[in-house]
Amino acid sequence: MALGANSMRCGEFRTTYASDTTIFPTPMSRNFAIAGVVLLLVSPFILSSYHLNLLIQIGYYGIAALGLNILVGFSGQISLGHAAFFGFGAFASAWLYNTTGLPVILCIPLAGVMTTAVGMIVGVPAARIKGLYLAIATLAAQFILEDFFNRAAWFTGGSAGALAEPLSLFGYYFDTDQRYFYVVLAFVVVMYLFGANLLRSRDGRAFVAVRDHYLSAEIMGINLTKYRILAFGVSSFYAGIGGALFGHYLGFVSAEGFTILLSIQFLGMVIIGGLGSVMGTLMGTAFMVLLPEVMDSTAGFIGSFVPGITQGLAYLKEMAIGLAIILFLIFEPDGLAHRWKLTKAYWKLYPFSY
C-alpha cells in the first residue's frame, strides 16, 4: 500500500550536503547546547570559586586540546610538543602587554597569531615526514622551545618568569574567578564554533582527506604540503589562545609549567575524548581535569582507613592518568564521544534498542 503525503516519517532524512554537515544534527542537540551555555552563564552565582576554577581550567585547556585534535584527529598528524606552543602563547601575550601596552583583550589573539607562525615553522618538516619521524621532530621542537623559554630573558623573563596582567575592559578588571569565567567562556564558545565550522569547510574536508588516504587526496588535487603545514598552524593558534588565557588567569608565567608531561596530557585529552570529535575534545578535557580531583577525594576517604596513602598521592595521580589512557585505548578507542553517541542511540530507539 502506497504511503500518503501525510504519513509519519521515521528517522533522520538529509537531502542536501548543507544539512548533512550542519553543526547540530538535530534541533534537540542545538537546544541542549544553548541551554548548556545559559546554565554556564548563571553558574558564577551558584558555584564556589573552587568549582569555577575547575571550569576555567577545562576552558583554556579545552581550547588548546581542540587545536591538537584538529592536527591529530582530523589531519592525521602527530605532535608531542603541544605544551610548548601552549607556553609560547602564554609568554607571547604577557610580552606583548609588557612591551607595547596593548589591551590584554588584543594581546590574547595576537599571541595566537605569533604562536601560529612558530607552529607553521615547526610544521614544515611535516610536509616530508610522517609517523614516528614526525613525532620525533615535534618532540625536538618541545625541547627547543623549553630551552628558549629558559634562555630568552627578553621574552620570557628567563628563570624568573614573566608577569601577566589581568584582563580589563573600560576600566573593569576581570581579576576574580567569577569575572574571568565569562572571559574564558566567551573564548570557548567562539573557538569551538570556529573549529566546528572549519571542519565543515573545504579546508576541513581536505584535512580529513589527507588523514584518510594522502595518495588519493594528492591525486584529487589536494596540496599535501599546504594542508599539513596549515594543520600545524591552526593547531598552534588554538594552543596560543589557550596559553594566553592560562597566563592571564594565573597572573604569572613560568617555563616549568610547559613540559613534555603536559604535552602527553593534551594527547590524553584527545584520545579519551575521541579523535576527530569536537564535542569529544571538551569531554576528554573535563575528564583529565577532574580525574586528579577525584583522586584527591578518593585518597582522602581511603586515608581515613589506611594511614599514609596520601603520601603517595602524587604518584597515584600520574599512574591514574597513564592507566586511563591505556584503558581507553584498549576498551574504548573511539573515546567518550563514541560512547555518548551509543548511549543517545540506545535511548532514542528504546525499547527497541537492539
Side-chain angles (χ1 to χ4, degrees), residues 92-269:
S93 188
W95 176 81
L96 283 169
Y97 178 84
N98 294 330
T99 56
T100 66
L102 287 172
V104 173
I105 194 65
L106 295 180
C107 292
I108 293 174
L110 288 176
V113 174
M114 292 176 63
T115 312
T116 300
V118 175
M120 294 183 77
I121 293 173
V122 174
V124 169
R128 307 184 68 88
I129 59 177
K130 55 185 174 55
L132 178 62
Y133 299 101
L134 180 58
I136 297 300
T138 57
L139 182 62
Q142 167 75 35
F143 290 118
I144 290 171
L145 286 175
E146 280 189 45
D147 187 65
F148 172 76
F149 295 156
N150 287 310
R151 296 178 183 274
W154 59 272
F155 183 71
T156 65
S159 58
L163 294 176
E165 291 294 319
L167 188 148
S168 64
L169 282 175
F170 308 110
Y172 185 81
Y173 283 86
F174 295 84
D175 53 357
T176 65
D177 289 341
Q178 287 76 12
R179 296 175 181 179
Y180 199 74
F181 171 78
Y182 290 111
V183 176
V184 174
L185 178 61
F187 273 95
V188 168
V189 171
V190 171
M191 297 301 289
Y192 268 72
L193 285 176
F194 176 76
N197 276 294
L198 171 66
L199 300 173
R200 297 166 60 223
S201 67
R202 178 185 178 90
D203 291 334
R205 296 194 296 273
F207 287 158
V208 175
V210 172
R211 176 199 68 189
D212 289 344
H213 205 295
Y214 70 94
L215 289 178
S216 299
E218 190 173 24
I219 292 172
M220 294 170 60
I222 294 175
N223 189 326
L224 299 184
T225 301
K226 170 187 172 182
Y227 284 105
R228 283 173 173 169
I229 296 176
L230 181 62
F232 266 93
V234 173
S235 174
S236 301
F237 178 74
Y238 274 79
I241 295 293
L245 290 170
F246 165 81
H248 290 291
Y249 175 59
L250 293 185
F252 178 77
V253 189
S254 176
E256 286 79 9
F258 312 112
T259 62
I260 183 65
L261 177 61
L262 182 58
S263 290
I264 294 173
Q265 288 177 344
F266 277 128
L267 276 175
M269 292 173 190

Side-chain angles (χ1 to χ4, degrees), residues 4-67:
N6 295 325
S7 298
M8 181 181 296
R9 299 174 63 186
C10 178
E12 298 176 10
F13 296 88
R14 298 184 176 93
T15 57
T16 64
Y17 184 78
S19 63
D20 191 51
T21 58
T22 182
I23 296 178
F24 301 107
T26 62
M28 181 174 292
S29 63
R30 181 191 63 232
N31 295 336
F32 267 109
I34 295 173
V37 173
V38 171
L39 183 62
L40 288 172
L41 287 173
V42 301
S43 59
F45 302 100
I46 304 172
L47 302 178
S48 65
S49 294
Y50 168 76
H51 294 100
L52 287 176
N53 172 265
L54 293 178
L55 290 176
I56 290 172
Q57 288 186 58
I58 293 171
Y60 56 66
Y61 282 137
I63 291 173
L66 179 58

